[in-house]
Amino acid sequence: REARVAGALFTPSEVDSGLEWRVRWVLTPEAADDIAQGATRAVRFAVPLTDNEKVESTWGVIPFTEAGRVAGVLVDRSGTDGRLVTAVVHQHLGQDAARSLRIGAPVAAGNALQIIDADLGGATRLEVDPGRVLERRVGYLAPPGVSHAAREEARRLTSYDARVRGSAIYVRGDDVKAATGLSAAVVTQRARGKRGAIGLAVLFGGIVIAMLVAVKRLRHAASVERADAILAAEVDALDRATQGSR
């Protein structure tokens, strides 16, 4: 039997071999009660881990495999602290990690709202491709239609310190499963600054082009007005000359 989660928090940090994910699953009260009474329950992942990701086996939290891949963890009473289950996932990164990598956070299956903290420290963070399951908002990413109250509840359950820095990613297991995982890139502050400078340059270039087009149109309008004025003056002169000849 599976243990449902009410929320979760996944916090990464950089290590020599890649990323280390600190995991906090918060069980539903019913699942926590079952385990407290001696049952062993499974926290199933939305997407099985790859060969580059490994769960640390700890007392009371043991990974299990399906079709040769880690599909979740088995949790017994010794692996819980009330409703809280903690674990560590090691994610090995290759040479192309700066361009694209798979998010190794073991998001639990189901529709509970969970939080991935994309901040790696030192102004470096994971920038996730929203794809079709997430929307970019001011300071966070979230599935379409997720309310402020739902985000507040997810933060309360996991004790997540939310700050407006663009590193909070709210996800649901069902969405991650539908997308077959999330992809991201490791982006430094320097790279973001360079990208911002390029964006400003493009914006400035667009403004200059728009101004040149406007000037050209004004010149054309002024030329037309001058031509109309000259034509009107010539017509008026011709009219006066005709009247004088009479």
Side-chain angles (χ1 to χ4, degrees), residues 2 41-45 62-66 69-74:
E2 295 182 19
R41 295 288 182 259
V43 175
R44 184 175 294 278
F45 302 159
I62 307 297
F64 67 87
T65 61
E66 291 179 351
R69 299 175 65 183
V70 175
V73 292
L74 297 174

Side-chain angles (χ1 to χ4, degrees), residues 169-184:
I169 305 167
Y170 296 88
V171 297
R172 295 178 298 216
D174 291 344
D175 297 326
V176 174
K177 182 178 180 179
T180 321
L182 300 175
S183 60

Side-chain angles (χ1 to χ4, degrees), residues 26 75 79 88 105 127 130 144 148 178 181 192 199 207-208 211:
V26 180
V75 181
V88 175
E127 291 207 351
H148 174 74
R192 287 199 303 275
I207 293 173
V208 170
M211 290 177 66

Side-chain angles (χ1 to χ4, degrees), residues 3-191:
R4 293 181 57 201
V5 303
L9 174 62
F10 311 97
T11 307
S13 58
E14 289 189 285
V15 295
D16 291 339
S17 60
L19 297 178
E20 185 175 89
W21 293 90
R22 297 285 171 176
V23 181
R24 294 166 57 90
W25 293 295
V26 180
L27 303 175
T28 62
E30 296 79 11
D33 287 344
D34 285 347
I35 293 173
Q37 293 172 16
T40 297
R41 295 288 182 259
V43 175
R44 184 175 294 278
F45 302 159
V47 178
L49 301 185
T50 68
D51 293 338
N52 292 330
E53 297 145 13
K54 181 180 179 182
V55 181
E56 265 189 24
S57 293
T58 56
W59 193 259
V61 181
I62 307 297
F64 67 87
T65 61
E66 291 179 351
R69 299 175 65 183
V70 175
V73 292
L74 297 174
V75 181
D76 63 32
R77 185 164 48 194
S78 60
T80 61
D81 181 6
R83 294 172 58 186
L84 183 64
V85 178
T86 59
V88 175
V89 172
H90 300 280
Q91 181 178 8
H92 176 75
L93 299 182
Q95 300 257 329
D96 59 346
R99 295 195 301 272
S100 180
L101 60 91
R102 192 192 101 121
I103 292 288
V107 176
N111 61 3
L113 196 62
Q114 302 164 65
I115 305 172
I116 299 173
D117 187 350
D119 185 16
L120 294 174
T124 300
R125 70 184 182 208
L126 296 171
E127 291 207 351
V128 173
D129 177 14
R132 59 187 175 83
V133 299
L134 298 174
E135 290 181 344
R136 193 174 298 280
R137 308 287 181 84
V138 178
Y140 65 93
L141 293 175
V146 170
S147 67
H148 174 74
R151 298 196 308 274
E152 284 291 330
E153 178 64 7
R155 291 196 291 266
R156 184 192 67 79
L157 284 172
T158 59
S159 301
Y160 176 61
D161 179 19
R163 284 170 279 182
V164 181
R165 58 189 182 190
S167 60
I169 305 167
Y170 296 88
V171 297
R172 295 178 298 216
D174 291 344
D175 297 326
V176 174
K177 182 178 180 179
T180 321
L182 300 175
S183 60
V186 179
V187 180
T188 63
Q189 184 178 28
R190 181 179 178 183

Side-chain angles (χ1 to χ4, degrees), residues 172-238:
R172 295 178 298 216
D174 291 344
D175 297 326
V176 174
K177 182 178 180 179
T180 321
L182 300 175
S183 60
V186 179
V187 180
T188 63
Q189 184 178 28
R190 181 179 178 183
R192 287 199 303 275
K194 186 182 295 184
R195 220 163 37 185
I198 293 173
L200 287 175
V202 171
L203 178 61
F204 179 74
I207 293 173
V208 170
I209 292 172
M211 290 177 66
L212 290 174
V213 171
V215 168
K216 185 176 180 180
R217 288 178 177 174
L218 287 172
R219 284 178 177 173
H220 177 71
S223 298
V224 171
E225 287 179 2
R226 283 199 302 271
D228 289 344
I230 292 171
L231 180 60
E234 290 180 350
V235 170
D236 186 56
L238 181 61

